[in-house]
Amino acid sequence: MKRPPPPPSCHPLADADFRRLKATRPRLWTDPKKSCLTCLKREGLQDSQTYLWYADNATGRRTDEIVTYECNCQQQWLMHLWFLNAGIPLNYQRLGWDDVKSVPQPVVDQVMGYALQAVRNIALGRNLVLWSKSPGTGKTLLLALLSKFLMANGFQVHFSQFNEVIDLFTSSWRDKDEREQWTRRVRNVDVLAIDDWGKENKGRIEMVESMVDQIVRSRVADAAPTIFTTNLTPDEIQQGYGVYAMSLLTEAADFIEVTGADFRPARRELSRQEADLGLARPITAV
């Protein structure tokens, strides 16, 4: 059986982006002819280009039937680099909407509602805040899935931990190339997706406020949306990082409380079951 091809918006990386990934990730997957992260082929060790995974039904939803797929290693490689360049880690590249099991359906429907109206929401600069005081409720998973959905529909997305955005901001003070990265990935990208807003080192608060002010003012002025997850409440968000800047951001924002139990224990058990069955999760945009 064959998997659907990557979305038309998936394209090979520019040479500069590939070199940057390779420089920062020594174990980067660089040659799909010799190895594959999905079917696990290895030059001189394993030549298999098939893998076991669940079949989809007519509506594209996962069934309980396990089938053998032909692995298009080249396509998997292209999607892997495409997502990785946008900041989406490998584990989230392999997850899809069928994996959102512990999040209440009304919450999922709200997030999907933003996605299905993406053209309008992005044109209007509608921000989105996924928040919960409890850890492990699925905020990061929803953010990653929404980011992949938007990329598949042709939007440029940069997905990053909040602390990574801070690091990129401070490195841009010293290096011209890093300043260009900051401008392209944070200020000018179609959609900026930030995970764990509010988990920064409190000793850096003045610098963080300055950075947030720059991000918010420039992106709000350009009607460029920011989507983020946080353990802060809406009131705490509006009171932090400079009241004026946060007022700009939140006045055009939808707040979604991501309720539910910690899904991580169930996710660990599911991962063990998949390993016992010899299953291999493919990289997917849906």
Side-chain angles (χ1 to χ4, degrees):
M1 185 175 292
K2 294 183 178 180
R3 296 283 301 178
S9 52
C10 176
H11 51 78
L13 298 188
D15 289 344
D17 287 330
F18 183 76
R19 287 195 300 270
R20 182 181 179 84
L21 279 181
K22 194 172 180 180
T24 57
R25 296 175 178 268
R27 297 173 56 205
L28 182 69
W29 181 17
T30 57
D31 190 346
K33 295 179 181 179
K34 295 181 179 179
S35 65
C36 181
L37 293 178
T38 299
C39 69
L40 302 182
K41 73 178 180 184
R42 291 289 186 275
E43 188 177 32
L45 296 176
Q46 182 174 333
D47 296 327
S48 173
Q49 294 190 19
T50 64
Y51 61 91
L52 297 176
W53 188 240
Y54 296 106
D56 293 335
N57 60 24
T59 63
R61 299 306 299 267
R62 189 186 305 162
T63 69
D64 293 329
E65 179 188 6
I66 296 174
V67 298
T68 299
Y69 284 97
E70 299 175 28
C71 185
N72 190 323
C73 307
Q74 179 80 13
Q75 290 183 353
Q76 289 285 286
W77 178 67
L78 286 173
M79 276 204 294
H80 171 60
L81 294 183
W82 183 51
F83 287 139
L84 201 61
N85 188 56
I88 300 174
L90 177 58
N91 282 344
Y92 289 108
Q93 295 178 20
R94 290 169 166 158
L95 296 175
W97 292 98
D98 284 320
D99 296 298
V100 186
K101 298 183 182 299
S102 63
V103 180
Q105 192 59 45
V107 176
V108 179
D109 290 343
Q110 285 181 280
V111 176
M112 282 302 301
Y114 184 97
L116 295 174
Q117 295 295 324
V119 173
R120 177 178 295 276
N121 284 326
I122 292 173
L124 296 177
R126 294 294 305 173
N127 304 305
L128 185 64
V129 181
L130 306 176
W131 72 277
S132 172
K133 294 296 290 183
S134 302
T137 57
K139 300 184 296 295
T140 302
L141 174 57
L142 289 171
L143 182 65
L145 294 179
L146 181 54
S147 296
K148 293 201 298 181
F149 180 94
L150 295 175
M151 289 177 66
N153 283 274
F155 295 102
Q156 293 180 330
V157 177
H158 179 63
F159 178 101
S160 184
Q161 294 282 324
F162 190 44
N163 274 318
E164 292 173 354
V165 175
I166 297 171
D167 291 341
L168 184 59
F169 176 67
T170 55
S171 64
S172 71
W173 299 343
R174 301 182 298 271
D175 187 277
K176 178 182 177 182
D177 290 341
E178 293 298 332
R179 281 197 297 275
E180 291 176 354
Q181 286 292 320
W182 164 263
T183 301
R184 179 163 66 97
R185 291 179 176 270
V186 177
R187 291 190 60 173
N188 294 344
V189 72
D190 292 338
V191 180
L192 177 61
I194 302 180
D195 190 33
D196 278 341
W197 186 301
K199 283 195 174 181
E200 71 282 354
N201 186 317
K202 298 305 179 184
R204 308 168 80 182
I205 191 63
E206 290 187 6
M207 181 272 294
V208 171
E209 286 187 359
S210 173
M211 179 199 74
V212 169
D213 186 75
Q214 287 191 38
I215 293 174
V216 170
R217 286 177 185 269
S218 62
R219 294 190 62 79
V220 168
D222 291 337
T226 302
I227 302 172
F228 61 92
T229 71
T230 182
N231 289 335
L232 302 175
T233 67
D235 285 343
E236 289 171 336
I237 294 168
Q238 290 172 326
Q239 293 167 8
Y241 307 104
V243 174
Y244 179 68
M246 298 314 293
S247 176
L248 284 175
L249 184 140
T250 57
E251 70 183 14
D254 297 317
F255 290 83
I256 299 177
E257 183 178 7
V258 183
T259 57
D262 189 340
F263 78 97
R264 290 167 183 162
R267 182 79 197 94
R268 286 193 293 269
E269 178 59 28
L270 180 60
S271 179
R272 282 194 293 267
Q273 292 174 6
E274 291 172 0
D276 290 342
L277 291 170
L279 305 184
R281 284 179 169 267
I283 295 166
T284 178
V286 296

